[in-house]
Amino acid sequence: NAGVTQTPKFRILKIGQSMTLQCTQDMNHNYMYWYRQDPGMGLKLIYYSVGAGITDKGEVPNGYNVSRSTTEDFPLRLELAAPSQTSVYFCASSFSNSNQPQHFGDGTRLSIL
Amino acid sequence: AQSVAQPEDQVNVAEGNPLTVKCTYSVSGNPYLFWYVQYPNRGLQFLLKYITGDNLVKGSYGFEAEFNKSQTSFHLKKPSALVSDSALYFCAVRGSSGSARQLTFGSGTQLTVLP
């Protein structure tokens, strides 16, 4: 049971480039989330999904897009990379959005130069 | 808007001594409270949660947390710290309706247990 798997683990992008961060979970969780973690700032919610075909914005969605075509996969797209998007990105999933804990992947460390 | 405060960026404690990592929160309605731990280059791992019931919650690795409604606090505790407990700890809160149902995280507290 792999849990939540994120790829790649590390990536360096040039300003203006685009990329997709991949996230897949094998726990049959309905809810999935993307967070970014900046030093001393905790985690900020970028986007979330309550099921296949349904996504919604979180606290910091600007510059990002998501899709949810299957229960397992929830990719995050950066269209025009900017230095402010340098961060560590975490994907998480949970069975529901009430009292169930979220399960996190090990993150993607992204640098925009 | 809901919020979480972890007033200490860094907590140092000697091995074998009790530890406390502080957390206070603000949320509409009844709070759902969580503690997570993060080891270097890893994702967050769930430690424990308070939903309802007994104010003292026991979790993984010997950790516990006490919910105090009047002080809006949810401090993490352990009676005897281990060097292996050294990590980054996050408190998180979720409300019970609407957008408040999304988790809000504190800024984290770096715990260092000294041998």
Side-chain angles (χ1 to χ4, degrees):
Chain A
N1 190 342
V4 178
T5 302
Q6 293 184 237
T7 56
K9 294 188 183 302
F10 306 94
R11 184 73 184 268
I12 298 174
L13 283 182
K14 295 182 179 179
I15 295 171
Q17 288 186 320
S18 62
M19 78 164 294
T20 299
L21 282 65
Q22 301 292 345
C23 175
T24 187
Q25 53 93 8
D26 62 359
M27 296 172 283
N28 201 32
H29 285 166
N30 290 327
Y31 289 75
M32 296 188 74
Y33 314 83
W34 274 105
Y35 294 92
R36 59 177 288 171
Q37 182 182 25
D38 300 305
M41 300 294 290
L43 276 73
K44 302 293 185 184
L45 182 65
I46 304 172
Y47 271 96
Y48 66 99
S49 170
V50 301
I54 306 170
T55 62
D56 207 349
K57 296 177 180 179
E59 184 180 358
V60 290
N62 291 343
Y64 307 95
N65 280 298
V66 294
S67 59
R68 185 96 182 271
S69 57
T70 67
T71 299
E72 295 79 17
D73 300 308
F74 190 40
L76 178 71
R77 178 88 176 159
L78 282 71
E79 291 293 350
L80 290 171
S84 61
Q85 294 177 306
T86 294
S87 188
V88 182
Y89 292 85
F90 288 99
C91 179
S93 70
S94 65
F95 181 70
S96 72
N97 198 31
S98 58
N99 60 2
Q100 298 302 313
Q102 295 180 11
H103 298 257
F104 285 79
D106 284 338
T108 294
R109 285 147 186 83
L110 182 62
S111 294
I112 315 296
L113 303 177
Chain B
Q2 60 197 38
S3 64
V4 176
Q6 294 183 242
E8 300 159 317
D9 293 335
Q10 175 83 39
V11 170
N12 296 326
V13 63
E15 187 175 29
N17 282 2
L19 70 86
T20 299
V21 182
K22 296 179 180 177
C23 171
T24 59
Y25 66 90
S26 173
V27 69
S28 299
N30 294 322
Y32 297 158
L33 293 154
F34 300 80
W35 275 102
Y36 288 84
V37 60
Q38 185 181 31
Y39 298 100
N41 299 316
R42 299 299 302 276
L44 278 67
Q45 297 177 30
F46 169 71
L47 274 181
L48 51 80
K49 65 181 180 182
Y50 172 83
I51 304 301
T52 187
D54 194 347
N55 289 343
L56 185 63
V57 178
K58 295 188 182 297
S60 306
Y61 313 119
F63 284 93
E64 57 190 26
E66 186 170 11
F67 171 64
N68 187 317
K69 186 174 183 179
S70 63
Q71 296 186 1
T72 62
S73 67
F74 189 55
H75 301 330
L76 181 70
K77 300 181 180 183
K78 188 174 182 181
S80 179
L82 300 173
V83 172
S84 57
D85 293 330
S86 298
L88 186 57
Y89 290 81
F90 289 96
C91 181
V93 68
R94 168 187 287 144
S96 56
S97 63
S99 61
R101 291 191 295 176
Q102 299 309 321
L103 266 185
T104 296
F105 287 86
S107 56
T109 298
Q110 181 67 49
L111 173 68
T112 300
V113 181
L114 305 168

